[in-house]
């Protein structure tokens, strides 16, 4: 900035004036920043992030994930010879003994319809889906696995029609120790499945028998094992790792 110097102001006066202005500017800026900061942290939070910031993150997530994983954008599939053994990782909600005979999937449909208790046989009435994809844990490892099950999409049309209109799906273990919330667009992705087979065999307990979520557009944390209950909602449901500060969407 080239302010023409007033012939009436000495360099000292000018400096004093500038400094005062500088301080004023700084003061107003700081007050605004502190005010803004207090306002931000007084806002409702989600996953430890104030909602206004959360909304920016979510808008980013929607943008990038929409671009990468729209309906036409499938996670890459692999030939059988690439299949690897996947470790069992994370056992929250898997501690209680499981009786496969008495296990039921409790489904609370969207807005009012009567809840249902489904068996694995009910789910197996849907078209079978199999594919081999890379399973990625947020901790930095990944494995190529062949998964078998049914499309979540097909499950909704058959057992919770209309629930596609909900914004989110909540999935919990029977003991409610582990729980995830997933946006509906990702749940309706054609590769998102309710899974009961791994590498051609029935799913083992440590990997989530009798039924787990496999959702290749998300990191492992969202791929909940031993699902006991599914609920639909318009608000983001509680999510185990989002509560610990991880990104709610956890998309790839
Ligand atoms: N019920 C339940 N599901 C869970 C977890 C868990 O602790 N409990 N951990 C998650 C994490 S962090 C990962 S990486 C995957 C691991 O799946 P795997 O054990 O089949 O490898 O399960 C996810 N699903
Ligand atoms: Mo993970």
């Amino acid at each position: 900035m080239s302010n023409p110097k007033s012939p009436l102001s000495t360099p000292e006066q000018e400096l004093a004036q500038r400094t005062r202005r500088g301080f004023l500017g700084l003061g107003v800026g700081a007050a605004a920043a502190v005010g803004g900061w207090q306002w931000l942290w007084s806002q409702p939070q989600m996953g430890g992030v104030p909602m206004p910031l959360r909304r920016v993150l979510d808008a980013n997530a929607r943008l990038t994930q929409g671009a990468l994983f729209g309906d036409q954008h499938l996670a890459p599939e692999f030939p059988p010879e690439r299949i690897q053994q996947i470790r069992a990782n994370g056992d929250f909600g898997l501690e209680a003994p499981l009786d496969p005979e008495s296990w039921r999937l409790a489904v609370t449909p969207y807005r009012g319809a009567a809840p249902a208790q489904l068996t694995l046989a009910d789910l197996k009435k849907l078209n079978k889906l199999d594919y081999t994809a890379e399973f990625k844990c947020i901790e930095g490892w990944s494995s190529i696995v062949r998964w078998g099950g049914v499309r979540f999409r097909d499950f909704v049309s058959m057992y919770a029609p209309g629930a596609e209109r909900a914004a989110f799906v909540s999935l919990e273990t029977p003991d409610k120790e582990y729980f995830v919330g997933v946006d509906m667009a990702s749940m309706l992705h054609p590769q998102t499945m309710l899974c009961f087979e791994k590498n051609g065999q029935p799913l083992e307990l440590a990997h989530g028998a009798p039924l787990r979520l496999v959702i290749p557009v998300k990191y492992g944390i969202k791929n909940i094992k031993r699902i006991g209950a599914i609920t639909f909602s318009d608000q983001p449901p509680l999510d185990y790792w989002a509560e610990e500060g991880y990104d709610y969407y956890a998309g790839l």
Side-chain angles (χ1 to χ4, degrees):
M1 251 206 311
S2 64
N3 264 338
K5 214 190 267 175
S6 148
L8 291 173
S9 67
T10 65
E12 289 76 15
Q13 284 172 323
E14 202 187 34
L15 184 67
Q17 216 177 11
R18 277 200 195 176
T19 312
R20 207 161 38 243
R21 235 184 274 129
F23 266 110
L24 256 180
L26 197 72
V28 169
V34 168
W37 187 252
Q38 283 166 351
W39 171 81
L40 199 57
W41 286 98
S42 69
Q43 295 303 298
Q45 296 192 8
M46 198 175 106
V49 179
M51 275 313 277
L53 277 189
R54 186 69 266 174
R55 275 195 283 270
V56 175
L57 290 175
D58 292 351
N60 285 343
R62 276 193 296 273
L63 265 178
T64 53
Q65 285 167 43
L68 288 174
F69 289 114
D71 228 7
Q72 306 82 331
H73 294 83
L74 301 177
E77 298 193 21
F78 296 81
E81 61 271 18
R82 297 282 307 274
I83 290 172
Q84 298 167 314
Q85 290 310 314
I86 181 174
R87 75 184 77 172
N89 199 62
D91 61 359
F92 297 112
L94 306 186
E95 274 141 46
L98 181 96
D99 172 16
E101 296 306 309
S102 60
W103 173 89
R104 294 288 181 280
L105 178 64
V107 184
T108 309
Y110 187 53
R111 295 198 177 156
Q117 298 279 332
L118 303 178
T119 62
L120 208 51
D122 293 327
L123 295 171
K124 288 181 175 171
K125 289 175 193 158
L126 299 168
N127 286 336
K128 181 82 186 299
L129 172 67
D130 288 275
Y131 60 80
T132 303
E134 191 173 10
F135 185 93
K136 296 180 186 170
C137 172
I138 214 156
E139 292 164 344
W141 55 268
S142 73
S143 302
I144 293 172
V145 184
R146 181 156 190 83
W147 302 109
V150 296
R151 276 198 176 89
F152 187 80
R153 249 192 203 181
D154 295 347
F155 157 79
V156 173
S157 337
M158 175 95 118
Y159 293 114
E164 300 89 343
R165 295 194 313 272
F168 290 93
V169 183
S170 157
L171 306 100
E172 305 170 303
T173 54
D175 64 5
K176 311 217 180 300
E177 292 287 321
Y178 198 77
F179 39 91
V180 298
V182 186
D183 57 282
M184 184 60 81
S186 301
M187 289 304 289
L188 297 179
H189 185 281
Q191 287 170 316
T192 298
M193 71 156 87
L194 294 174
C195 163
F196 44 79
E197 277 176 19
K198 174 180 136 279
N199 295 340
Q201 301 295 320
L203 204 56
E204 301 97 323
L205 278 173
H207 291 284
L211 192 71
R212 77 174 299 167
L213 183 67
V214 171
I215 178 162
V217 299
K218 303 284 188 189
Y219 279 107
I221 48 177
K222 294 287 187 183
N223 291 239
I224 182 174
K225 301 185 277 192
R226 198 190 286 194
I227 305 169
I230 295 182
T231 313
F232 300 88
S233 66
D234 289 323
Q235 298 307 315
L238 272 189
D239 182 275
Y240 188 93
W241 286 109
E243 291 294 294
E244 303 294 316
Y246 284 77
D247 179 59
Y248 191 88
Y249 286 84
L252 290 168

